Amino acid sequence: MAAASALIKFKFPFRFLLLRRFSESPAEPVTMETSLPFSAHKCDPPPRSVTTSPSELLSFFRNMTVMRRMELAADSLYKAKLVRGFCHLYDGQEAVAVGMEAAITRRDAIITAYRDHCIYVARGGSPFEVFAELMGRRAGCSKGKGGSMHLYKKDASFYGGHGIVGAHAPLGCGIALGQKYSKEGTVTFMIYGDGAANQGQLYESLNMAALWDLPVVLVCENNHYGMGTAEWRASKNPAYYKRADYVPGLKVDGMDVLAVKQACKFAKEHVLQNGPIVLEMDTYRYHGHSMSDPGSTYRTRDEITGVRQDRDPIERVRKLILSLELASPSELKDIEKEVRKETDEAIAKAKESPMPDPSELFTNVYVQSYGAEAFGPDRKEVKADLP
Amino acid sequence: MPRRAKLIPNAVAAKADTTTTASSADSKPGHELLLFEALREGLEEEMERDPRVCVIGEDVGHYGGSYKVTKGLATKFGDLRVLDTPIAENSFTGMGIGASMTGLRPVIEGMNMGFLLLAFNQISNNCGMLHYTSGGQFTIPVVIRGPGGVGRQLGAEHSQRLESYFQSIPGLQMVACSTPCNAKGLMKAAIRSDNPVVLFEHVLLYNLKERIPDEDYVLCLEEAEMVRPGEHVTILTYSRMRYHVMQAAKALINKGYDPEVIDIRSLKPFDLCTIGNSIKKTHRVLIVEECMRTGGIGASLRAAIIDNFWDYLDAPIMCLSSQDVPTPYAGTLEEWTVVQPAQIVAAVEQLCK
């Protein structure tokens, strides 16, 4: 099998040895090297050679295109004042969401902060649910009551969606505690940013996770800017994968979806044996911190276009697919057109969908599962249903 | 299948003071124990009944708990189920909340309630709100408990009363226990509830002794307790102040008054039904609380009573609270920050004039 598969040394700029058409063998393994080596702290890094398949690469392309389209559409919706409040966009960072998802199962948990639209989609949510939630409609994933920063998907073990920087770090370690308790062999990926890497509660939870060997992977999405503050202005030591000191760390090129997949796979195996690990994803966001931030006052436009030209995750996968002749340029264009159409349909459907009923203001404040119907002064009888 | 427990709405029918006395004809012989033992018994029974119940806190495991509420539980249930944490209140409270999102039912102990101020963000944003912001997908069945209140010269930072700070957090339920009987019942109810519940205990009440029923019982979280029925005035109180009120009640009875004493127990939401029925009978209300005057439980209770029972009041609602000062160390000064029985007697006399 291995001998028959094409072994390609892929370096940027690339060269290839063997050509194969996509239609012939979509599941045939393809092995290549990640664009950059991993940097490791207190552990042995995983190998640079990654195994993937044509169908997986095409799914990477498609999923990242869906995410990119969705985020750009959210930008327009926000400017059209259909989305209000805060809107933090993920375009540029899609490789982290897609690569992570490729390495884990839906029973492994992911918890992240407010830049959560694409992680929700990676976990199986549909862009329609995202648009509906952003526009505050009842068909949204949180019934319109959460908003951009509160997307959750319990059946896919996606725990949100949190607005306060760093406050979800203990939650992530708690989810890992629950997983350790139930002994299911699943892990938690707790995603935070370079800004949150300076929060005390992160290190408090890391201490406890390391103390009790909790199966949590701490993923730092380092997009180099905490809102308007560059990492070198906020962190004395910006090598976030080393900041955990006694806990091993790995620095990953976050714009290379295969490297992300490799690192997450390695991390999952590691934490199930040895306790927590830190992954630093070196990534970049094209938009500002949120829609109210133009994103150009603290960095130059040249920097942004430079990253877009050299390191864009979708372009990288596109070039890879074309170089391996897994699909023709027109086939990829078709995929993009299809995605654009689907996104437009989702937006149209979301625009039509109704707002929540006014009674929803008071639902889900308490769980009415146990206890007497004792609210209000005119309770006629004590009704208590004990579980 | 968990066995069904009998609900006893008013388990302590007519308790006048802290010593054991025979109560109503319904009570069984029972067994005598101290309040912290009652809490432990409730916790242990729930841990046996449901394997998802666990305890998280500082020194709860090997040390047995700083007030011995969790003594012996680590040996019985193991170190993962009775988890000794480092001193990181914000994070272990957050961890308990995260664990509850996966289905566990943690009981998070603050060694002193005041330390939970460090976890305020977790309690307010994550604990109270996640059920709502997730559109009902996640429930947070945690119990956050610990001793608070003014003790014996513990100093300002260790004499905190957090009821007033937490009361506006939507999604949270708050109860305060005051006797061994209601401590056990409320602990069990709080653990079984799918809502986050903050159980307020008091440092000075842990050694109260009482005879409690042998059979399994769970009290209603949202219900108040009728301590002493009466006709002249409704005195609403909770936690330690219940005992100051009962002391004052003895003096008042000797003077010919007939106070009705209600231990409100449920601080959020208020049991307006029991309170309302009492006000409709007596038409006079005195609130005696230990939290500070400004923005305290009494302030909210006054507003709720005025909103609902204005027509039944014959006199303005009086509220006796602790002074708006940091609790001083000196014994005499500390005594005067909290409400004393003499002040309660004077207030009732003024109210009934």
Side-chain angles (χ1 to χ4, degrees):
Chain A
M1 196 54 167
S5 70
L7 184 71
I8 295 177
K9 291 263 186 294
F10 178 73
K11 284 205 176 91
F12 185 82
F14 56 85
R15 47 192 159 79
F16 51 87
L17 297 176
L18 196 62
L19 307 178
R20 214 160 27 141
R21 301 229 64 90
F22 166 65
S23 50
E24 284 174 19
S25 44
E28 192 76 18
V30 171
T31 308
M32 63 198 62
E33 289 215 328
T34 62
S35 56
L36 292 174
F38 298 105
S39 310
H41 168 74
K42 296 211 171 142
C43 66
D44 291 322
R48 273 177 79 178
S49 103
V50 188
T51 307
T52 180
S53 71
S55 62
E56 188 176 54
L57 284 173
L58 272 147
S59 78
F60 284 166
F61 180 79
R62 187 174 212 286
N63 291 340
M64 289 201 278
T65 307
V66 167
M67 290 175 185
R68 180 69 61 91
R69 273 283 113 227
M70 181 179 75
E71 294 297 74
L72 294 178
D75 178 305
S76 321
L77 288 174
Y78 192 90
K79 288 178 175 143
K81 290 206 181 356
L82 284 164
V83 175
R84 313 307 299 274
F86 292 122
C87 190
H88 306 87
L89 298 177
Y90 200 75
D91 54 321
Q93 298 181 205
E94 297 89 353
V96 176
V98 170
M100 185 182 292
E101 195 61 36
I104 60 178
T105 70
R106 286 281 155 80
R107 292 183 50 242
D108 294 312
I110 298 184
I111 186 170
T112 183
Y114 41 78
R115 212 175 290 279
D116 54 350
H117 305 167
C118 297
I119 312 260
Y120 177 80
V121 167
R123 289 260 91 181
S126 70
F128 163 68
E129 286 163 352
V130 176
F131 290 130
E133 184 62 36
L134 289 180
M135 293 197 264
R137 307 299 164 104
R138 98 165 65 134
C141 52
S142 303
K143 299 189 193 164
K145 299 204 278 197
S148 162
M149 298 188 282
H150 299 285
L151 305 180
Y152 303 86
K153 198 163 169 48
K154 185 172 183 183
D155 53 10
S157 311
F158 177 48
Y159 289 83
H162 296 273
I164 305 292
V165 172
H168 64 290
L171 290 186
C173 295
I175 296 166
L177 178 67
Q179 289 175 327
K180 187 181 172 95
Y181 207 91
S182 55
K183 299 193 180 98
E184 283 175 9
T186 50
V187 305
T188 302
F189 282 78
M190 198 280 290
I191 307 175
Y192 61 101
D194 48 298
N198 293 317
Q199 273 271 321
Q201 48 193 326
L202 186 73
Y203 298 94
E204 289 176 13
S205 346
L206 186 70
N207 176 43
M208 287 191 271
L211 202 54
W212 302 321
D213 285 330
L214 299 182
V216 59
V217 180
L218 285 86
V219 180
C220 179
E221 278 179 334
N222 183 9
N223 55 26
H224 307 286
Y225 296 95
M227 199 163 92
T229 307
E231 59 176 345
W232 57 270
R233 290 181 67 224
S235 306
K236 182 73 178 167
N237 177 9
Y240 299 106
Y241 70 109
K242 288 189 186 163
R243 290 271 288 265
D245 182 36
Y246 42 83
V247 164
L250 199 65
K251 182 163 173 169
V252 185
D253 178 6
M255 305 298 254
D256 179 357
V257 63
L258 293 170
V260 172
K261 177 188 165 191
Q262 179 82 327
C264 291
K265 204 151 136 286
F266 169 77
K268 177 173 173 176
E269 281 155 20
H270 185 277
V271 300
L272 284 173
Q273 310 283 340
N274 305 325
I277 190 173
V278 177
L279 297 181
E280 182 187 336
M281 303 285 178
D282 187 348
T283 181
Y284 200 83
R285 53 167 165 81
Y286 298 139
H287 269 89
H289 163 74
S290 71
M291 287 306 299
S292 42
D293 170 25
S296 50
T297 55
Y298 46 87
R299 50 187 191 173
T300 60
R301 290 205 190 280
D302 287 339
E303 183 187 298
I304 306 171
T305 37
V307 174
R308 213 188 266 275
Q309 273 168 1
D310 296 338
R311 297 176 67 203
D312 184 81
I314 303 179
E315 287 310 304
R316 181 176 296 210
V317 173
R318 185 206 296 273
K319 284 189 186 118
L320 184 60
I321 291 174
L322 292 176
S323 73
L324 293 175
E325 294 215 354
L326 303 178
S328 68
S330 67
E331 280 171 347
L332 293 182
K333 267 256 153 13
D334 285 340
I335 293 178
E336 284 177 326
K337 270 200 216 127
E338 201 191 314
V339 165
R340 191 184 283 250
K341 182 161 158 286
E342 280 171 14
T343 312
D344 289 339
E345 279 168 8
I347 295 174
K349 191 171 159 211
K351 277 184 186 167
E352 295 301 309
S353 69
M355 296 296 275
D357 192 80
S359 65
E360 283 285 331
L361 180 63
F362 299 106
T363 59
N364 303 128
V365 179
Y366 290 109
V367 180
Q368 294 289 341
S369 70
Y370 166 68
E373 302 279 313
F375 302 91
D378 39 13
R379 162 171 60 100
K380 296 272 191 288
E381 56 176 89
V382 176
K383 242 180 15 177
D385 300 315
L386 296 171
Chain B
M1 272 305 265
R3 50 177 201 270
R4 300 202 142 259
K6 190 163 77 111
L7 177 75
I8 304 179
N10 277 311
V12 182
K15 288 245 142 252
D17 55 18
T18 66
T19 58
T20 56
T21 53
S23 47
S24 68
D26 281 337
S27 70
K28 303 255 175 11
H31 56 286
E32 226 177 42
L33 40 54
L34 305 177
L35 196 144
F36 74 87
E37 290 169 342
L39 287 167
R40 189 200 311 150
E41 211 176 78
L43 185 50
E44 198 170 340
E45 281 174 19
E46 289 305 300
M47 288 180 80
E48 278 168 1
R49 181 181 173 273
D50 187 344
R52 299 169 303 168
V53 180
C54 55
V55 183
I56 299 177
E58 295 159 10
D59 281 324
V60 293
H62 294 189
Y63 192 83
S66 55
Y67 291 93
K68 294 180 285 200
V69 173
T70 51
K71 188 155 181 229
L73 295 183
T75 338
K76 185 166 176 189
F77 296 108
D79 279 348
L80 189 63
R81 246 182 120 179
V82 186
L83 197 56
D84 274 328
T85 65
I87 306 177
E89 281 77 8
N90 190 16
S91 298
F92 71 70
T93 307
M95 276 186 61
I97 295 166
S100 72
M101 288 168 91
T102 67
L104 292 192
R105 305 182 80 90
V107 176
I108 302 168
E109 175 175 309
M111 190 182 271
N112 186 292
M113 266 284 173
F115 307 161
L116 291 178
L117 287 172
L118 290 162
F120 207 109
N121 178 56
Q122 296 292 342
I123 295 173
S124 144
N125 282 334
N126 292 332
C127 189
M129 295 190 192
L130 271 171
H131 185 63
Y132 191 83
T133 56
S134 68
Q137 288 180 67
F138 293 108
T139 56
I140 316 289
V142 296
V143 177
I144 299 174
R145 51 161 289 268
V150 175
R152 295 260 181 266
Q153 299 185 254
L154 299 177
E157 290 166 314
H158 293 72
S159 311
Q160 296 272 36
R161 289 133 280 169
L162 300 193
E163 310 79 271
S164 41
Y165 303 150
F166 289 159
Q167 66 176 320
S168 5
I169 299 174
L172 212 59
Q173 271 194 270
M174 308 199 306
V175 287
C177 63
S178 48
T179 66
C181 187
N182 65 33
K184 179 177 173 184
L186 290 175
M187 168 74 94
K188 290 171 72 107
I191 293 173
R192 292 192 200 185
S193 169
D194 280 337
N195 290 309
V197 179
V198 184
L199 172 58
F200 291 93
E201 301 155 12
H202 198 287
V203 276
L204 294 181
L205 298 184
Y206 279 130
N207 288 324
L208 284 180
K209 193 189 282 199
E210 191 182 353
R211 186 167 287 274
I212 67 169
D214 281 328
E215 76 257 18
D216 196 14
Y217 70 95
V218 183
L219 293 179
C220 178
L221 281 177
E222 295 92 354
E223 214 178 31
E225 190 179 311
M226 179 66 71
V227 183
R228 182 191 186 278
E231 296 289 322
H232 288 165
V233 59
T234 299
I235 306 183
L236 303 173
T237 181
Y238 65 91
S239 194
R240 181 187 167 214
M241 288 296 114
R242 167 191 175 133
Y243 296 95
H244 283 204
V245 166
M246 292 315 292
Q247 254 186 286
K250 272 200 212 133
L252 285 167
I253 294 163
N254 287 340
K255 291 189 180 191
Y257 295 95
D258 188 19
E260 175 154 294
V261 180
I262 295 179
D263 182 340
I264 60 172
R265 255 175 22 194
S266 174
L267 304 179
K268 184 180 166 84
F270 294 129
D271 180 7
L272 290 176
C273 185
T274 310
I275 294 171
N277 289 341
S278 174
I279 295 173
K280 288 173 190 171
K281 189 171 47 163
T282 65
H283 312 294
R284 289 178 163 76
V285 184
L286 171 66
I287 303 171
V288 180
E289 57 169 359
E290 195 174 331
C291 63
M292 316 266 201
R293 187 163 201 78
T294 308
I297 298 288
S300 305
L301 192 48
R302 249 174 165 166
I305 293 173
I306 290 171
D307 278 345
N308 291 294
F309 309 115
W310 173 254
D311 292 325
Y312 298 97
L313 291 171
D314 282 348
I317 306 169
M318 276 193 80
C319 184
L320 297 176
S321 345
S322 295
Q323 305 303 319
D324 282 319
V325 296
T327 312
Y329 167 72
T332 44
L333 292 180
E334 185 188 62
E335 220 180 277
W336 288 104
T337 53
V338 296
V339 180
Q340 297 297 331
Q343 293 167 300
I344 302 172
V345 173
V348 170
E349 286 177 333
Q350 192 186 334
L351 205 50
C352 293
K353 219 179 288 207

